[in-house]
Amino acid sequence: MANAHFRAPAPLNEPNLSYAPGSAERAALQARLSDLASREIEIPVVIGGEEVRTGRIAEVRVPHRHGQVIARYHQAGPQEVARAVEAAARARREWASLGWTDRAAVFLRAAELLAGPWRQVLNAATMLGQSKTAFQAEIDSACEIIDFWRFNVAFADGIYEQQPISPPGVWNRVEYRPLEGFVFAVTPFNFTSIAANLPTAPAILGNVVLWKPASTAVYSGWHVLRLLEAAGLPPGVVNFLPGKGGAVGDAVLASPEFAGLHFTGSNPVFDGMWRTIAGNLDRYRSYPRIVGETGGKDFVFAHASADVDELVTALVRGAFEYQGQKCSAASRAYVPESLWPAVRERLVAKASSLAVGDVTDFRNFMGAVIDRAAFDRIREFLDFARSSPVARVLAGGGADPATGWFVQPTVIETTDPRFRLMEEEIFGPVLTVFPYPDARLEEALATCDSTSRYGLTGAIFARDRGAIARMSAALEGAAGNFYVNDKPTGAVVGQQPFGGARRSGTNDKAGSPGNLMRWLSPRAIKENLVPPTRLEYPHQGEG
């Protein structure tokens, strides 16, 4: 045991590489893309460090070339879940008792491996498996994962340092224990960084984890797991359980050892899991921690004093980067009628100019949506908009599934602020705009605040400082991540802790100490240095 208090290295955000023509990183990424695309791999279930092949096979297809299979993976079921629960319990004894600096060193090493030799492996896997452009992959599967691992280690250090006061004769201290049992991490397809963070944030603190990646992101998830193994993560700390939601989730939530849920995904799935947990309360050893981030219907609200070019750039980037498949993507906008003609002209021109296609062609701004189900859902919204008397498609609106799941960046104007596309989450490259009368600013703000059941992200644009203050106050509850003169996407670990309230989740702020505290069970310890020997208290004396 070290006779010192070791401090975590001061975390710094990983710089984004540019991938400009002629750059070394561009050549390295292109080489890795060619390598990974040239072969099909087999991905097993991993339990206690052992590769398990169940024979229940599913395919990983490239969204922008859906005729190409790059992996086949084995699916877990109840039997594998039971084995993983046992493996996690065995691993917990040693992992939880390991000094926190030894646990932290695994993730600091993983961060450095990802910043170096593993960078283009994760980027290429994310590009091929999830159809992200080089830049979108870089900020996600490289920089944000690195940031999570560096900052979470530093946040853990800060938590462990928080100790109570001790009066003379007493030594008080708090021990931050991991939860009893295991944490179930359920991760989405749209961010490899979320897939890396949800299992590892609890693990840094001594917890063991059962991890079910989204079926459409098993490929990048597998590479994350291999990276963690290369960094020295012991077997059984994170158990990899790809498979169908019910086959894995129902068995996990039935276990008495279930201690916490770390989730990012859809509202219906989260709601269903919460109900199942509630129904199983009597069987659990402790009350499970539930942390979830679900969806958003994220807004951009412009004031008449907004700069048109700044606003249009934010709308295009916020709505169409990564095909609008971000929980934080700009999906509805409110623009004053006085600005709308100029905004409309430039917005339509920019949206119409965006190149859509294979992400391995670096000239493309957008790739394909994730799969057929997403494509069909988005196309149904587009068909509805075209047939509506209160909406008009200004740009895009096309969807072509011939070679990939491609949907054009689409701008829709509506005369009804309660139009369906202003209210429902689409999760695709569709931006709906409501031009509001300048004189009815307060009414438009109230409409923006009350239209959506979500409360994840939102942005306001104005140059008038008084307007910024009024708009910020009116929309206080509308977004857990609120942006002034910036797009509503792109939260950076350590700078903008991420999460929303209302129906967007529990707002436990990934990328902050608050999230880590959810995976701890503190124990307060009082040591009396000179215990009393006399039974009576002074007030009992005669006098």
Side-chain angles (χ1 to χ4, degrees):
M1 181 176 294
N3 293 314
H5 180 94
F6 298 130
R7 297 190 180 278
L12 297 172
N13 292 113
E14 178 70 8
N16 298 328
L17 301 182
S18 71
Y19 299 91
S23 64
E25 65 264 19
R26 185 184 180 105
L29 178 55
Q30 289 172 327
R32 184 62 68 178
L33 283 165
S34 297
D35 173 50
L36 293 186
S38 69
R39 50 196 166 91
E40 179 186 307
I41 65 171
E42 180 185 8
I43 299 175
V45 173
V46 180
I47 300 171
E50 178 187 351
E51 295 186 357
V52 177
R53 289 167 172 80
T54 67
R56 297 184 293 274
I57 303 295
E59 296 176 337
V60 177
R61 291 181 175 270
V62 178
H64 47 271
R65 295 194 299 265
H66 53 53
Q68 180 181 2
V69 176
I70 53 172
R72 300 178 193 273
Y73 66 93
H74 294 261
Q75 298 181 92
Q79 182 178 355
E80 289 72 38
V81 168
R83 290 178 58 185
V85 170
E86 294 176 359
R90 290 193 299 270
R92 185 186 183 280
R93 288 189 290 271
E94 183 175 349
W95 182 247
S97 63
L98 198 63
W100 86 267
T101 53
D102 290 306
R103 295 196 306 269
V106 172
F107 299 98
L108 292 176
R109 174 169 165 76
E112 294 310 308
L113 288 173
L114 182 50
W118 281 78
R119 191 183 203 107
Q120 306 314 342
V121 175
L122 262 290
N123 282 343
T126 299
M127 291 176 70
L128 293 174
Q130 291 135 273
S131 198
K132 290 203 169 187
T133 63
F135 181 69
Q136 291 297 311
E138 169 71 9
I139 61 178
D140 167 28
S141 49
C143 296
E144 189 163 5
I145 297 178
I146 294 167
D147 288 351
F148 271 129
W149 288 340
R150 289 174 178 166
F151 277 83
N152 281 345
V153 165
F155 293 149
D157 189 9
I159 290 170
Y160 291 143
E161 278 193 323
Q162 296 176 26
Q163 295 295 321
I165 63 171
S166 296
V170 173
W171 186 8
N172 293 320
R173 49 199 188 267
V174 171
E175 178 183 23
Y176 294 93
R177 305 170 298 179
L179 305 181
E180 290 190 83
F182 64 84
V183 174
F184 185 32
V186 180
T187 62
F189 79 84
N190 59 333
F191 280 95
T192 305
S193 55
I194 298 176
N197 180 52
L198 266 56
T200 60
I204 287 171
L205 302 163
N207 292 284
V208 288
V209 181
L210 273 58
W211 173 22
K212 195 202 99 57
S215 295
T216 43
V218 171
Y219 189 70
S220 59
W222 167 247
H223 288 88
V224 169
L225 182 69
R226 296 299 303 274
L227 168 57
L228 291 169
E229 291 172 345
L233 186 70
V237 174
V238 174
N239 300 277
F240 186 68
L241 301 171
K244 296 179 180 178
V248 175
D250 291 347
V252 168
L253 299 183
S255 171
E257 302 303 313
F258 170 68
L261 171 65
H262 206 187
F263 175 92
T264 295
S266 73
N267 285 88
V269 174
F270 190 50
D271 292 353
M273 296 180 78
W274 198 310
R275 291 188 189 98
T276 300
I277 292 167
N280 289 339
L281 277 182
D282 288 346
R283 73 174 63 189
Y284 299 140
R285 295 180 61 188
S286 56
Y287 287 103
R289 307 290 174 84
I290 303 176
V291 173
E293 192 263 295
T294 53
K297 188 64 179 176
D298 310 295
F299 62 86
V300 174
F301 196 106
H303 182 260
S305 67
D307 180 278
V308 170
D309 288 328
E310 293 172 354
L311 174 60
V312 169
T313 299
L315 288 170
V316 173
R317 286 185 169 183
F320 303 132
E321 287 178 338
Y322 191 44
Q323 298 80 267
Q325 296 177 126
K326 300 182 181 183
C327 303
S328 56
S331 184
R332 57 188 170 118
Y334 303 80
V335 179
E337 290 178 344
S338 61
L339 289 186
W340 179 231
V343 170
R344 179 178 57 208
E345 179 184 1
R346 295 177 214 185
L347 178 59
V348 168
K350 287 185 179 293
S352 301
S353 71
L354 298 179
V356 181
D358 190 324
V359 295
T360 61
D361 180 345
F362 284 22
R363 295 170 297 178
N364 288 320
F365 185 87
M366 286 171 45
V369 298
I370 192 65
D371 61 10
R372 179 82 205 207
F375 178 87
D376 288 343
R377 185 184 66 252
I378 297 164
R379 186 161 60 175
E380 191 275 326
F381 276 105
L382 297 177
D383 291 342
F384 178 83
R386 273 191 291 266
S387 65
S388 172
V390 298
R392 183 162 60 114
V393 177
L394 302 179
D400 182 2
T403 58
W405 308 119
F406 293 110
V407 179
Q408 292 178 342
T410 300
V411 178
I412 295 169
E413 178 184 357
T414 183
T415 57
D416 179 6
R418 302 287 182 174
F419 180 52
R420 179 185 171 196
L421 274 67
M422 294 289 285
E423 294 185 335
E424 297 182 22
E425 185 177 40
I426 301 172
F427 227 63
V430 182
L431 173 67
T432 307
V433 184
F434 171 66
Y436 69 88
D438 291 48
R440 298 169 70 176
L441 171 64
E442 301 302 326
E443 180 182 338
L445 286 166
T447 299
C448 176
D449 181 54
S450 62
T451 293
S452 171
R453 65 197 305 225
Y454 299 106
L456 188 54
T457 75
I460 59 172
F461 275 79
R463 285 178 288 189
D464 182 322
R465 195 69 219 183
I468 290 173
R470 291 193 302 275
M471 295 160 71
S472 298
L475 298 171
E476 180 183 10
N481 281 66
F482 190 73
Y483 297 82
V484 178
N485 292 325
D486 200 3
K487 61 185 175 70
T489 64
V492 177
V493 177
Q495 297 186 35
Q496 298 96 29
F498 189 79
R502 295 182 178 171
R503 294 288 291 174
S504 286
T506 58
N507 204 13
D508 286 291
K509 293 300 187 194
S512 79
N515 181 279
L516 296 191
M517 281 298 300
R518 299 285 280 150
W519 312 116
L520 291 168
S521 180
R523 179 171 72 158
I525 302 168
K526 174 188 176 183
E527 181 174 350
N528 197 332
L529 300 176
V530 184
T533 57
R534 182 173 177 175
L535 177 64
E536 297 81 6
Y537 290 98
H539 74 276
Q540 294 177 270
E542 304 214 8

